[in-house]
Amino acid sequence: MNIALIGYGYWGPNVAKNIFANKKLRLHTICDLKQARLDKAHNLYVEQSKYETDYRKLLSNPEIHAVAVAVETSAHFQVVKDALNAGKHVYVEKPFTSTVLEAEELTALAASKGLIIHVDHIMMYHPCIQKIRDLIVADELGDLLYIEAMRMNLGQIKKDVSAMADLAVHDLSIIDYLSDGKEPFYIKAVGEKKYNPKESLTFLMLRYRDFIAHIQSSWISPLKERKLIVAGTKKMVVFDDMKPSTEKLTIYDKGVDVLAGSDVEYEDYAVKMRVGDIWIPYIPEQDALFNSINHFAACIESGKPSDSGPEQAIRVLKILEQADQTMNA
Ligand SMILES: NC(=O)c1ccc[n+]([C@@H]2O[C@H](COP(=O)([O-])OP(=O)(O)OC[C@H]3O[C@@H](n4cnc5c(N)ncnc54)[C@H](O)[C@@H]3O)[C@@H](O)[C@H]2O)c1
């Protein structure tokens, strides 16, 4: 299956590498507006791919079955729309679009043409996140209490999106995946527009029916953190994406046992902290981006919708859009 990549900036090379590594796909053309970026691509892929500065030209090529879109978020809508109108299946980087309205228009367009849209909610394809989901499904964690996510670094500040749209989108897609698409009924964000027209630091609070969540997103942190705590009544899990691949996930048999009573307001209510084993499960080393692209290829082959298709992406975008409306209100 021939695929073209549109956008070879910071992230595009990673997408190219993983398309190239996939036996189902052939990296037919690499496109970027900037010739200097294409020269870099050419150094790697030489004549194995074609190179193009105008994406509209490659869209008219019937040899190309699908496109991967890794341009700036604000440009996703137009490029994806043109690709769908040209009859191409679409892999698009997160966040899907800048607004829910744009996402809904693209979703309807893809449906009318029988085309696949796969949004790269990459963390759903991470083996550690998949392991956490397995633990939840097997009731190893008990009832979910809270999810705490931290995604921070110094930079890279983007002008067309806030840190929340750029970073919290990962955590929102994780929560959506872990909770089978549950939607929050309370959303509140605070943020700071520092060094940027959009927020470069945000704290997002969410209340779901059964649990609460807190997501920190920052481009102005002295530390690089990629951390997720999923706390259940039976066990708690910490995913630290900055650790080596074999040590990223830690399961804590820690929690609070209720010794007596059932109502916290009454005096006979008593609890005891439970501190048990801590272990690091074996997780086979896999590249999440490879898995995401592979899932896209499998969806095209089978005609089945992507697990991170537009339906899920719209749920995530709706939260981001509502959060934006509550920002500092
Ligand atoms: N999945 C992840 O973990 C992850 C990580 C980083 C970035 N991203 C996403 O990848 C996308 C790109 O981000 P980036 O940091 O690489 O941005 P970037 O600005 O570094 O690169 C974008 C590239 O797209 C090119 N471009 C823009 N419009 C174009 C057009 N019409 N035709 C051809 N080329 C065009 C630009 O010249 C540039 O080289 C964003 O949606 C971002 O959110 C995803």
Side-chain angles (χ1 to χ4, degrees):
M1 195 171 354
N2 287 328
I3 183 165
L5 169 64
I6 306 174
Y8 196 82
Y10 160 71
W11 190 247
N14 296 326
V15 179
K17 190 178 85 185
N18 282 285
I19 291 174
F20 201 73
N22 192 305
K23 291 200 165 45
K24 290 181 204 145
L25 299 171
R26 185 173 155 251
L27 185 54
H28 183 285
T29 303
I30 300 176
C31 171
D32 201 289
L33 286 172
K34 297 175 189 147
Q35 187 57 47
R37 297 303 306 167
L38 292 182
D39 292 345
K40 275 201 182 304
H42 187 264
N43 287 342
L44 279 175
Y45 301 105
V46 201
E47 302 309 326
Q48 295 178 79
S49 292
K50 295 183 172 48
Y51 303 90
E52 181 58 72
T53 50
D54 181 354
Y55 77 85
R56 288 189 175 85
K57 281 195 190 148
L58 68 87
L59 291 183
S60 60
N61 186 341
E63 283 178 12
I64 295 171
H65 307 109
V67 296
V69 178
V71 299
E72 296 89 334
T73 302
S74 51
H76 285 187
F77 175 70
Q78 196 56 54
V79 176
V80 173
K81 187 175 171 179
D82 291 343
L84 292 171
N85 275 322
K88 314 296 182 197
H89 298 288
V90 172
Y91 163 106
V92 56
E93 267 311 324
K94 60 78 204 165
F96 181 17
T97 53
S98 303
T99 68
V100 172
L101 214 62
E102 288 178 349
E104 286 173 343
E105 187 180 328
L106 297 178
T107 305
L109 182 59
S112 73
K113 291 182 170 284
L115 294 167
I116 301 282
I117 294 180
H118 168 86
V119 182
D120 180 32
H121 286 163
I122 183 171
M123 297 312 295
M124 285 171 55
Y125 302 95
H126 194 296
C128 289
I129 300 299
Q130 293 177 338
K131 175 71 181 178
I132 297 176
R133 191 181 142 86
D134 290 346
L135 292 169
I136 291 173
V137 170
D139 196 29
E140 288 279 323
L141 304 189
D143 297 333
L144 270 190
L145 291 169
Y146 67 87
I147 296 178
E148 173 99 47
M150 282 148 276
R151 210 168 278 276
M152 50 186 84
N153 198 5
L154 195 61
Q156 169 200 11
I157 294 177
K158 291 183 175 162
K159 285 203 165 64
D160 65 331
V161 284
S162 65
M164 185 171 75
D166 189 45
L167 301 175
V169 63
H170 287 299
D171 304 303
L172 290 170
S173 69
I174 291 174
I175 296 173
D176 187 273
Y177 173 64
L178 295 181
S179 71
D180 272 334
K182 298 254 172 9
E183 292 176 75
F185 63 86
Y186 174 85
I187 298 171
K188 178 79 188 91
V190 291
E192 280 292 352
K193 289 182 183 175
K194 287 281 183 234
Y195 316 112
N196 203 34
K198 306 217 179 212
E199 290 79 10
S200 38
L201 166 67
T202 61
F203 300 135
L204 172 60
M205 286 186 293
L206 305 156
R207 185 172 277 283
Y208 293 77
R209 194 171 69 86
D210 300 320
F211 62 94
I212 58 175
H214 181 243
I215 301 173
Q216 289 187 43
S217 314
S218 175
W219 287 323
I220 47 175
S221 166
L223 301 175
K224 181 163 183 180
E225 286 278 10
R226 297 280 184 267
K227 206 174 265 179
L228 180 79
I229 302 173
V230 180
T233 49
K234 290 189 194 166
K235 292 192 184 83
M236 300 182 182
V237 181
V238 177
F239 167 58
D240 187 345
D241 210 4
M242 297 310 297
K243 287 196 170 167
S245 59
T246 51
E247 296 164 30
K248 286 181 192 288
L249 202 67
T250 311
I251 304 173
Y252 294 83
D253 181 10
K254 287 189 176 189
V256 184
D257 289 335
V258 179
L259 298 180
S262 57
D263 191 328
V264 286
E265 300 290 339
Y266 287 95
E267 275 178 13
D268 66 344
Y269 189 80
V271 295
K272 184 171 181 286
M273 302 304 133
R274 184 183 70 260
V275 182
D277 290 345
I278 300 170
W279 67 99
I280 297 175
Y282 170 72
I283 312 266
E285 208 174 329
Q286 287 174 14
D287 188 314
L289 185 55
F290 181 87
N291 288 348
S292 173
I293 290 168
N294 197 41
H295 181 65
F296 173 56
C299 290
I300 297 174
E301 273 180 356
S302 68
K304 288 189 185 149
S306 164
D307 293 343
S308 55
E311 210 179 297
Q312 192 211 25
I314 287 173
R315 282 198 299 274
V316 167
L317 283 176
K318 278 185 176 165
I319 300 173
L320 287 173
E321 213 162 83
Q322 285 182 48
D324 244 344
Q325 285 157 10
T326 73
M327 191 76 73
N328 303 331

